[in-house]
Amino acid sequence: MTAYDPIHERSLRDPEGFWAEVAEDLHWDRRWDRVLDDSDAPFYRWFTGGRLNTCYNAIDRHVENGHGAQTALIHDSAVTGTCSRWDYAGLQDEVARLAGLLRAQGVDTGDRVVIYMPMIPQAVFGMLACARIGAIHSVVFGGFAASELASRIDDAEPKLVLSASCGVEPGGVVDYHGLLDKALSLARHEVPGCLIWQREQQPVELVSGRDVDWAEALETATPAECVPVEATDPLYILYTSGTTGHPKGIVRDNGGHAVALQWSMRNIYGMAPGDVYWTASDIGWVVGHSYIVYGPLLNRNTTVMFEGKPVGTPDAGAFWRVVQDHGAKALFTAPTAIRAIRSADPDGRYVEQYDISSLESFFLAGERSDPATIHWAERNLGVPVVDHWWQTETGWAIAANPLGIECLPVEAGSAGKPMPGYDVRVLDERGEEKPRGELGNIAIRLPMPPGTLLTLWNNREGHREHYLSRYPGYYLTGDSGVIDADGYIHVMSRIDDVINVAGHRLSTGRMEEVLCDHHAVAEAAVFGVNDETKGQLPLALVVPAAGKGPDGETLVAELTAHVRNEVGPVAAFRLCTLVKRLPKTRSGKVLRGTMRKIANGEEWKAPATIDDPKILDEIGEALSNLGFPRTGGN
């Protein structure tokens, strides 16, 4: 038995006792009446009756405890060549004055504020200022098109929008203000006002009667104090794409969220107060919410906010430069970022150019981390590489390797073991538990731990339908995988990506793992295409590593033989071609579903989250060379 096992066991046997002890580390304005409230099951609540303020716990209490001079936030902008720092006292001042400005603009406790901004510190200030006065923020990823922003405005019905004049990307500026103008013209909900942060790269003319110059108005703002709210009150709404095209607004509470995130910083990521922590993500995604903003600040860490890319700002050494410059103890990013770095720097020569001795651990999440990527990172970074698994809905890790408790043996291809409060099961179509090692649908037995979704915004029945109806008493993750004999969770693919080849259920994730094991492969995507004889066949699109391996035809032949040898003839693997790049969302998820629709000749549209729509034309051409789409299902 490991040191971690009894901790997880107790969290399931005595969830109220376990989480009550964890919650004692926070400041509560009023202690809770019930730790776990099951009076409205399956819609569970945590710490009902308790009152607290998330912003106070993330900033003010640290200042009051004598840590005001500690650096709280570092903004490192590779695209503008600037770096700025705020200590906890300075952050408190920025956030309190902005909270006062929000109040002056008519925002009150419970009102919604949409934040549509690039990766600049004012976006963080905006989130925390909302939390300070009990307003509910909804951050919309800055790269979203105007129509997507409009749909979120209509759903959240905000009192105010916070935005900027522009964003800065390697290819030039992004006209945020123009996108906001268009979104507001498309939206049915009329937003009373907008605060606009003018960036020197592209100042804009403000719209009279609607826009307020953020910096100017801030000069005369009266600082606002923290407002205690109910632990079960919403902290934020974060939209995730829905299967119907209508975005799902994940609602996060205040109390359970703060309890879970502070626990995770210390016990999963191994961060002591005062350590420097860097999450290379975007605040528009849940990773940025949890581990750029709230988690590190709740735990009194120094958090790094990076405005740049893993490759191209200026090169594949960008991440290691940031680690060196700021002394990051841990780095958390998406596997796709490391695959991009590995593709540009397969031998890790850029790593050697920087002093990364401060780095003690490296975390990956966002999509499955193939063993080849993990081994590259282990070999070149020389620290534990932890793949862990969670979702927008959960807000923190379902499965991980808890480095703050102990470093469990790493099993490449696994997301680790279940974290406290997560009772993870693998179920068949009838809801019966599958034996260890067998592929099935991953579900979590209710109740889920603190910090997970409270509900869907204005859509309680949608919450039930999407997550709770298929397996009563369980939350359906939407992922398929296995739990092995040692209790490690292997997330293989989305349930929709499990394919049926002549009656055999096969994981496309396993095939991708085998493909990426080849030294000449940077990354790969496998999805099912319709076949008249076998039902479905796997089709692989492979991105070759730069300057590695044989020519195209030889590499495809080697890969085909490798999959048939490792997975077996049952996979009927023969459809494989090389591509320059894969279509992805801006958060790094490969768009397998869209590629599957293109190959099968189904109706499709480019997802709003896509990084570069032009890639889909390239994919269409590659599929055409393989004879897709076919007619008649052949």
Side-chain angles (χ1 to χ4, degrees):
M1 179 177 289
T2 67
Y4 178 72
D5 289 327
I7 294 175
H8 182 253
E9 185 276 331
R10 189 198 166 200
S11 76
L12 301 186
R13 172 177 48 82
D14 178 25
E16 296 187 75
F18 180 89
W19 291 112
E21 290 180 11
V22 174
E24 294 291 352
D25 287 338
L26 294 171
H27 172 85
W28 294 83
D29 294 273
R30 182 182 183 277
R31 191 176 174 82
W32 53 86
D33 298 320
R34 299 181 65 178
V35 177
L36 174 61
D37 184 350
D38 60 359
S39 61
D40 191 28
F43 302 99
Y44 295 88
R45 300 288 183 267
W46 289 93
F47 305 105
T48 53
R51 293 178 67 82
L52 79 169
N53 183 275
T54 298
C55 181
Y56 179 88
N57 277 282
I59 303 175
D60 297 66
R61 67 171 171 144
H62 305 317
V63 176
E64 292 175 9
N65 290 333
H67 302 290
Q70 180 195 314
T71 301
L73 173 66
I74 299 170
H75 180 249
D76 187 308
S77 176
V79 293
T80 63
T82 61
C83 183
S84 306
R85 296 170 180 262
W86 286 262
D87 59 23
Y88 271 94
L91 183 60
Q92 181 187 43
D93 177 65
E94 291 276 5
V95 171
R97 287 189 297 120
L98 180 55
L101 177 55
L102 297 184
R103 276 276 172 80
Q105 295 297 312
V107 177
D108 204 351
T109 301
D111 287 338
R112 275 79 62 207
V113 174
V114 163
I115 300 174
Y116 182 65
M117 300 189 72
M119 283 288 285
I120 58 176
Q122 286 71 28
V124 175
F125 303 159
M127 295 170 70
L128 292 163
C130 289
R132 191 172 191 85
I133 60 174
I136 303 165
H137 65 70
S138 184
V139 181
V140 178
F141 175 69
F144 274 1
S147 59
E148 295 298 317
L149 175 58
S151 72
R152 287 150 175 79
I153 288 172
D154 283 337
D155 197 63
E157 298 183 328
K159 182 73 69 74
L160 191 69
V161 173
L162 307 186
S163 193
S165 61
C166 71
V168 182
E169 297 285 340
V173 300
V174 178
D175 184 11
Y176 273 67
H177 193 253
L179 289 166
L180 175 61
D181 283 343
K182 185 175 181 181
L184 292 176
S185 70
L186 293 172
R188 297 185 304 275
H189 172 72
E190 188 171 341
V191 178
C194 302
L195 278 184
I196 306 297
W197 184 263
Q198 297 275 22
R199 299 190 78 180
E200 64 180 30
Q201 289 79 13
Q202 182 179 287
V204 296
E205 184 175 346
L206 301 183
V207 176
S208 177
R210 185 196 75 187
D211 294 347
V212 174
D213 187 291
W214 183 326
E216 287 184 5
L218 201 61
E219 292 178 0
T220 57
T222 302
E225 295 300 316
C226 296
V227 176
V229 297
E230 296 292 326
T232 53
D233 281 347
L235 170 66
Y236 68 76
I237 306 165
L238 182 57
Y239 287 95
T240 183
S241 299
T243 55
T244 63
H246 183 75
K248 297 180 295 186
I250 305 300
V251 179
R252 195 84 63 214
D253 65 1
N254 276 270
H257 171 260
V259 170
L261 288 194
Q262 180 162 292
W263 186 92
S264 71
M265 289 301 301
R266 298 178 183 182
N267 294 279
I268 295 177
Y269 302 101
M271 293 290 104
D275 288 339
V276 179
Y277 184 80
W278 176 31
T279 293
S281 181
D282 192 286
I283 60 161
W285 310 124
V286 68
V287 170
H289 279 56
S290 294
Y291 295 112
I292 294 176
V293 184
Y294 289 112
L297 297 177
L298 285 164
N299 196 47
R300 192 170 57 79
N301 293 118
T302 296
T303 185
V304 179
M305 183 184 195
F306 178 62
E307 188 180 26
K309 304 291 183 183
V311 175
T313 55
D315 51 40
F319 275 20
W320 322 127
R321 191 272 300 168
V322 173
V323 170
Q324 171 189 270
D325 287 358
H326 307 304
K329 181 178 177 181
L331 167 57
F332 175 5
T333 192
T336 188
I338 299 307
R339 283 195 283 267
I341 293 171
R342 175 183 165 221
S343 179
D345 185 24
D347 298 320
R349 290 176 181 166
Y350 277 103
V351 185
E352 298 171 358
Q353 297 177 19
Y354 298 93
D355 178 5
I356 61 168
S357 57
S358 65
L359 194 68
E360 295 183 8
S361 56
F362 182 61
F363 291 84
L364 295 167
E367 61 174 336
R368 188 167 184 269
S369 300
D370 57 280
T373 297
I374 290 175
H375 293 323
W376 183 92
E378 288 175 333
R379 184 170 63 252
N380 288 286
L381 303 182
V383 299
V385 177
V386 177
D387 180 20
H388 59 325
W389 167 56
W390 48 300
Q391 304 176 323
T392 302
E393 290 84 350
T394 66
W396 64 290
I398 302 169
N401 192 330
L403 297 190
I405 298 171
E406 64 176 326
C407 184
L408 299 171
V410 173
E411 292 191 12
S414 164
K417 291 195 172 187
M419 292 296 96
Y422 290 105
D423 188 354
V424 182
R425 310 292 179 92
V426 175
L427 307 178
D428 65 16
E429 295 300 316
R430 299 183 303 275
E432 296 178 2
E433 193 165 354
K434 300 276 285 187
R436 290 286 177 97
E438 290 193 13
L439 183 70
N441 299 333
I442 305 177
I444 300 168
R445 189 174 181 181
L446 298 176
M448 298 243 278
T452 54
L453 78 161
L454 191 69
T455 187
L456 296 181
W457 182 252
N458 288 335
N459 193 5
R460 177 183 168 98
E461 288 311 305
H463 180 187
R464 188 193 305 272
E465 177 187 348
H466 284 294
Y467 305 107
L468 308 176
S469 61
R470 183 165 179 179
Y471 300 121
Y474 290 87
Y475 163 87
L476 179 64
T477 67
D479 287 313
S480 66
V482 301
I483 299 177
D484 67 21
D486 297 320
Y488 284 78
I489 297 171
H490 299 252
V491 183
M492 304 306 296
S493 62
R494 297 295 288 171
I495 288 173
D496 291 343
D497 290 329
V498 172
I499 63 175
N500 194 316
V501 181
H504 300 280
R505 284 172 55 82
L506 299 174
S507 166
T508 56
R510 171 57 181 154
M511 296 181 212
E512 291 176 6
E513 180 180 292
V514 171
L515 290 167
C516 290
D517 188 51
H518 193 289
H519 73 280
V521 172
E523 56 183 335
V526 179
F527 49 90
V529 293
N530 297 334
D531 182 76
E532 192 173 66
T533 303
K534 294 183 179 292
Q536 286 182 296
L537 287 173
L539 188 153
L541 300 180
V542 175
V543 179
K548 294 279 185 178
D551 61 30
E553 289 187 7
T554 302
L555 178 57
V556 167
E558 289 183 8
L559 293 174
T560 301
H562 190 40
V563 172
R564 295 178 78 88
N565 182 60
E566 294 295 320
V567 180
V570 67
F573 185 87
R574 59 177 180 269
L575 300 171
C576 179
T577 191
L578 305 183
V579 294
K580 294 179 180 178
R581 51 186 183 159
L582 296 173
K584 299 175 184 177
T585 67
R586 293 180 181 87
S587 63
K589 290 183 172 62
V590 176
L591 296 170
R592 296 173 181 84
T594 302
M595 292 190 288
R596 182 175 62 242
K597 289 179 180 179
I598 295 172
N600 286 328
E602 300 171 8
E603 185 177 343
W604 64 275
K605 66 176 183 177
T609 55
I610 191 169
D611 185 44
D612 182 357
K614 294 178 182 177
I615 301 178
L616 293 177
D617 294 332
E618 300 170 15
I619 296 301
E621 183 178 348
L623 292 171
S624 177
N625 292 335
L626 287 176
F628 290 92
R630 297 174 178 173
T631 58
N634 291 310

